[in-house]
Amino acid sequence: MAIHPVPQARQADPPPAVDGPWRDPSLSPEERVADLVARMTLEEKAAQLYGIWVGADAEGDGVAPHQNDMVDPVDFADITTRGLGQLTRPFGTAPVDPGVGAVSLATAQARIAAASRFGIPALAHEECLAGFTAWGATAYPVPLAWGAAWDPELVAEMAHRIGSDMRSVGVHQGLAPVLDVVRDLRWGRVEETIGEDPYLVATIGTAYVRGLESSGIVATLKHFAGYSASAGARNLAPVRAGGREMADVILPPFEMAVREGGARSVMHSYAEIDGVPAAADPALLTGLLRDTWGFSGTVVADYFGIGFLETLHRVAADRGDAARLALTAGVDVELPTVRSYGDELVAAVRDGLVAEELVDRALRRVLLQKCELGLLDPDQPLLPAVLSGVDPEQARGTVDLDPPRNRALARLLAERSCVLLSNADGALPLTGTGRIAVVGPRADDPLAMLGCYSFPSHVGVQHPEVPMGIEVPTLLEALRDEFPEAGVSYAEGCEVDGTDASRIQEAAALAAGADVCVAVLGDRAGLFGRGTSGEGCDAPDLSLPGLQGELLDALLATGTPVVLVLLTGRTYALGAQADRLAGCVQAFFPGEEGGPALAGVLSGRVNPSGRLPLGVPNGPGGQPWTYLQPPLGQNNGVSNLDPTPLHAFGHGLSYTTFAWEPGAEVPAELPTDGETDLEITVRNTGDREGAEVVQLYVHDPVAQTTRPETRLIGYARVPLAAGESRRVSFRFHPDLVSFSGVGGRRIVEPGDLELRFATSSDPADVQHTVRLRLTGPERTVDHRRHMVCATSLGALVPEN
């Protein structure tokens, strides 16, 4: 590779004075940062652009592949004399009591401030995908469960709680949410996503951003962009998505979270799109993100992502060249630890290979964020007042990151995310008496409830000698509590992904002697091949892992009614087995309160209201497929393979029934820049309270580029008591049906539309259709378009 020098090299100058206007909180952040940048040496500038991962394993079996190649030994005392940009995962690297961790973090920050000329603390970041990834912190349901709840307000409340807990112990930035849209169910990180639809991902993800940012935590959008569209569903594989797939499916959630959510950080993706790695793509990280969308926060590297430009993508000749590419593209901070942005970057600047203006550009963004967080203010408190002056050991047990209010919220979200897939002849809810055989490898394992980024699964499994730190009831325990008058017996049957079939017949015999069998099957979350779901745990097909399908066949053969409970990080193909089930409940790693939540659904104490955030395939092959297919992607008779799912996106049943009635008539024509209200009235016609999820889809019969047969553009969760009804109003703007036209521009095209009120994306589930013709000129729209279909719920109308 040819490396062209740039004419910005300079010799080291004497260190400028420390004191100046940058210390004055009464000045604007821009004035303060401009003054501070002018006072810093090149080494001090570079030091603000990387993190240090204290305690990261540089040898042996680390958390991530390549970690031992990417983590250099660091002398903490020496390197902090220049200052430090970030501290990486002070709570999420090893089990530490939260109180002890808070005092230790404050001590480290004091050392960092004292060691450098300017006394600026580091910005501390943590993972917070399904709760604060710290020992003893609440483990909430995973993002796929957020999508199944279809409840942005509840997700925002959860995010605010997570952020408040993080702030209480000195953390500033959270690496969440994941806004990748599922493109292939075999991908291991499906559990970390919100679903297969960009509108659902965008609205739920943006709610999470709002909640986290409202607590004072910097939300970090990831992974920007295209990561989930990897070829063959392999983690960190090339992406072959075209421009329209990127514009219409992959990018909108990030766009909404930047514009509507106020996210202050973005993490670049590991992906390479059409041969260009995201970390080296100025068109993506600067042209689109900043120049077009107006993002003004920081872009941080996914862990080792800058180094991967050299070692995996091979577009950089060495560490300094990787720094040049990343800085030019717009990556401001190297995470998790220094490799390219330290001495190598300084040398590259002095040798004329990297323009110092690029260093200054990133530095200004980093320091503006630190200024917003108060880290440039004099006498910035590093600890909550209650822990001030407390010895680390005295702080043990003083910070509760899993209080009752958190657990109650985790329970509510878990309950709302459980999806009742099928209920043959009203087998559910269970009577709660007689003999219940509970069978399966997920029935009596607390980790069955947790995703790969929960602390027990992510870090705790590497420390088996340390208690889990939180109480996680298993489904078996919860069922015994839920049904005290029933005889509940248990057999594991088989392992999650093992090959030992010797216990299957024993489990079948237990089921044969019971009145009902609850089969609890699914995934084990893990990292890099140590699980069946999670980062680096990609699936070859969508059959249930291991011998679980064989176990289910044996249980069904007994003739005892079998209720299947799935605890998974993706949906699996059930095929012909589905028709033989008495009932089926799908849960996506529902968190620490998932056991009681599921037991409540099985008993009827909880009326299920979850809806699928992605379809359930009928067969284990035929991937990738999502419901966002044009006509050619549907079952069309020209192929023997039928991709139609067993259960469609948006599907979910209830223990009550609902009737839908159309509202006021809508004008037959609407200008392409007009607006109108669409109404539907929903009545609970059953004998118990429940919640319906009203979904609004668009079908575009004829368009200049092929369009999905149907696409979600709005939704509302409508809770109703028995006999109650409520009018639901959707504010429709034609921007919501915009798409990438032939010329590549996002357009609103005049013509006929069908707006479908439905209970799922399946055309058979359409309850009411509004036919509308858009009139007037074709319009070009951009990121300032209407992106959200505002909904409002009218007053409750009791039964007459």
Side-chain angles (χ1 to χ4, degrees), residues 124-369:
H125 76 259
E126 276 293 351
E127 299 283 0
C128 56
L129 189 67
F132 180 13
T133 307
W135 187 85
T138 304
Y140 292 96
V142 300
L144 200 55
W146 313 347
W150 296 64
D151 194 335
E153 291 78 14
L154 191 61
V155 170
E157 183 181 352
M158 174 196 67
H160 181 81
R161 297 270 185 89
I162 292 169
S164 298
D165 287 340
M166 295 168 75
R167 285 295 282 161
S168 74
V169 293
V171 175
H172 307 100
Q173 181 172 1
L175 304 186
V178 168
L179 296 182
D180 295 298
V181 179
V182 175
R183 304 302 287 158
D184 191 326
L185 288 168
R186 297 171 300 175
W187 191 49
R189 303 189 79 166
V190 166
E191 66 172 70
E192 300 179 44
T193 74
I194 295 167
E196 70 179 41
D197 178 84
Y199 186 80
L200 182 66
V201 174
T203 50
I204 298 290
T206 297
Y208 182 93
V209 170
R210 285 200 192 103
L212 200 66
E213 289 279 358
S214 72
S215 69
I217 290 290
V218 175
T220 304
L221 312 181
K222 57 186 192 180
H223 306 88
F224 190 66
Y227 188 31
S228 59
S230 58
R234 293 178 64 248
N235 191 47
L236 224 163
V239 170
R240 301 193 179 100
R244 288 183 180 82
E245 182 177 353
M246 290 295 295
D248 293 348
V249 178
I250 301 297
L251 292 173
F254 295 95
E255 195 176 359
M256 186 184 291
V258 166
R259 183 184 168 201
E260 305 280 346
R264 287 183 284 171
S265 186
V266 170
M267 174 181 282
H268 77 69
S269 164
Y270 287 135
E272 59 178 74
I273 303 169
D274 196 22
V276 179
D281 189 354
L284 179 70
L285 301 183
T286 297
L288 178 65
L289 179 62
R290 295 189 184 278
D291 298 342
T292 300
W293 293 353
F295 177 72
S296 60
T298 57
V299 174
V300 302
D302 203 344
Y303 283 15
F304 312 117
I306 296 175
F308 288 163
L309 294 177
E310 174 195 355
T311 63
L312 296 184
H313 297 295
R314 298 183 187 174
V315 296
D318 52 34
R319 296 186 185 194
D321 197 28
R324 176 185 65 85
L325 286 172
L327 275 172
T328 301
V331 182
D332 303 312
V333 180
E334 181 176 31
L335 296 179
T337 196
V338 60
R339 187 176 187 274
S340 298
Y341 276 18
D343 291 339
E344 289 78 7
L345 174 58
V346 171
V349 172
R350 293 226 161 91
D351 290 343
L353 302 176
V354 176
E356 188 165 350
E357 282 80 359
L358 293 175
V359 176
D360 290 349
R361 181 179 72 172
L363 177 65
R364 283 191 294 271
R365 296 165 181 164
V366 167
L367 292 179
L368 279 171
Q369 199 153 87

Side-chain angles (χ1 to χ4, degrees), residues 673-693:
D673 61 352
E675 204 167 36
T676 190
D677 287 329
L678 309 175
E679 295 181 349
I680 200 86
T681 296
V682 181
R683 177 175 293 278
N684 182 343
T685 55
D687 58 3
R688 59 172 298 169
E689 66 177 0
E692 178 69 295
V693 177

Side-chain angles (χ1 to χ4, degrees), residues 428-450:
L428 292 172
L430 301 177
T431 62
T433 58
R435 298 161 297 171
I436 301 174
V438 179
V439 175
R442 301 287 74 197
D444 199 30
D445 183 355
L447 292 178
M449 301 294 166
L450 307 180

Side-chain angles (χ1 to χ4, degrees), residues 380-725:
Q380 166 72 5
L382 300 175
L383 261 183
V386 68
L387 293 176
S388 181
V390 175
D391 178 85
E393 283 308 307
Q394 292 177 320
R396 188 176 299 277
T398 60
V399 175
D400 185 2
L401 297 180
D402 189 31
R405 66 179 183 277
N406 283 17
R407 296 196 70 97
L409 181 59
R411 170 82 69 93
L412 183 60
L413 183 54
E415 290 174 348
R416 291 186 180 177
S417 69
C418 292
V419 185
L420 180 60
L421 294 182
S422 63
N423 191 16
D425 301 321
L428 292 172
L430 301 177
T431 62
T433 58
R435 298 161 297 171
I436 301 174
V438 179
V439 175
R442 301 287 74 197
D444 199 30
D445 183 355
L447 292 178
M449 301 294 166
L450 307 180
C452 80
Y453 268 79
S454 66
F455 188 90
S457 295
H458 198 78
V459 180
V461 291
Q462 301 176 54
H463 301 272
E465 76 285 357
V466 178
M468 184 176 288
I470 53 175
E471 182 183 351
V472 184
T474 69
L475 182 53
L476 177 63
E477 293 167 343
L479 286 172
R480 283 175 170 156
D481 289 341
E482 192 79 21
F483 297 125
E485 297 180 7
V488 178
S489 53
Y490 165 67
E492 184 179 31
C494 67
E495 298 175 333
V496 171
D497 55 349
T499 58
D500 180 7
S502 62
R503 293 173 293 158
I504 289 180
Q505 287 309 310
E506 174 193 352
L510 184 72
D515 298 305
V516 65
C517 174
V518 177
V520 190
L521 310 179
D523 282 315
R524 180 183 68 255
L527 290 164
F528 307 111
R530 296 190 286 271
T532 61
S533 173
E535 185 173 358
C537 297
D538 310 316
D541 61 40
L542 295 174
S543 303
L544 283 166
L547 300 178
Q548 294 184 75
E550 194 174 313
L551 171 62
L552 184 56
D553 274 335
L555 298 176
L556 290 168
T558 65
T560 298
V562 176
V563 173
L564 175 61
V565 175
L566 291 164
L567 285 161
T568 66
R570 58 170 67 86
T571 50
Y572 284 99
L574 301 178
Q577 291 175 324
D579 294 334
R580 301 157 61 196
L581 294 171
C584 184
V585 177
Q586 171 72 64
F588 301 107
F589 293 135
E592 63 183 28
E593 286 290 324
L598 278 164
V601 168
L602 295 176
S603 73
R605 175 174 52 81
V606 174
N607 191 353
S609 59
R611 302 293 185 265
L612 285 173
L614 34 75
V616 176
N618 202 14
Q623 287 294 307
W625 195 92
T626 76
Y627 92 97
L628 294 171
Q629 297 291 334
L632 205 60
Q634 307 286 336
N635 185 37
N636 53 25
V638 298
S639 170
N640 62 309
L641 296 179
D642 182 358
T644 306
L646 176 67
H647 297 297
F649 170 85
H651 168 77
L653 304 178
S654 172
Y655 293 148
T656 189
T657 55
F658 300 95
W660 296 26
E661 299 172 2
E665 287 291 323
V666 175
E669 294 187 347
L670 182 71
T672 54
D673 61 352
E675 204 167 36
T676 190
D677 287 329
L678 309 175
E679 295 181 349
I680 200 86
T681 296
V682 181
R683 177 175 293 278
N684 182 343
T685 55
D687 58 3
R688 59 172 298 169
E689 66 177 0
E692 178 69 295
V693 177
V694 178
Q695 301 162 44
L696 178 62
Y697 294 87
V698 62
H699 168 67
D700 194 343
V702 179
Q704 61 181 257
T705 59
T706 62
R707 305 298 302 135
E709 275 289 280
T710 190
R711 177 170 67 89
L712 184 73
I713 60 170
Y715 62 90
R717 188 177 185 277
V718 188
L720 295 167
E724 282 184 336
S725 64

